[in-house]
């Protein structure tokens, strides 16, 4: 279960997405998009990002075998340079 509430059922959403990180132009947008992407799931987020090239997104999720996996989209930087 997630802390994101399903607007159709008013209950916590069931999801395999454990974490979403977003790099955007400002913190407020990054937070809003991260919440939306957690609710949307990976496939709908991928479709959305085809038109929003400036957002960089990183998912941590559990696959169907209950293994932890990651996915970086739109060139999310996996290593930060100091």
């Amino acid at each position: 279960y997630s802390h994101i509430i399903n607007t159709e059922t008013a209950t916590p959403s069931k999801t395999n997405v454990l974490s979403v990180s977003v790099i955007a132009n400002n913190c407020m947008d990054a937070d809003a998009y991260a919440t939306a992407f957690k609710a949307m799931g990976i496939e709908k987020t991928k479709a959305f990002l085809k038109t929003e090239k400036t957002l960089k997104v990183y998912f941590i999720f559990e696959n169907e075998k209950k293994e932890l996996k990651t996915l970086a989209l739109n060139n999310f930087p996996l290593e930060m340079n100091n």
Side-chain angles (χ1 to χ4, degrees):
Y1 289 95
S2 169
H3 71 280
I4 307 297
I5 302 299
N6 180 321
T7 57
E8 295 175 1
T9 65
T11 60
S13 59
K14 291 182 180 178
T15 179
N16 67 327
V17 176
L18 305 175
S19 176
V20 183
S21 296
V22 176
I23 298 173
N25 289 331
N26 61 67
C27 188
M28 184 176 70
D29 287 347
D31 181 56
Y33 278 117
T35 300
F37 295 159
K38 185 145 177 35
M40 291 167 56
I42 294 171
E43 294 307 315
K44 287 182 182 177
T45 299
K46 283 181 179 178
F48 179 81
L49 291 177
K50 288 180 182 177
T51 60
E52 286 293 329
K53 302 290 186 186
T54 61
L55 297 174
K56 297 174 184 344
V57 180
Y58 187 77
F59 281 98
I60 300 174
F61 64 99
E62 191 175 74
N63 70 9
E64 54 281 337
K65 295 179 183 178
K66 305 289 185 193
E67 300 167 325
L68 290 180
K69 298 291 182 180
T70 62
L71 177 64
L73 301 170
N74 283 358
N75 298 310
F76 187 97
L78 298 177
E79 292 185 26
M80 301 296 282
N81 295 328
N82 292 330

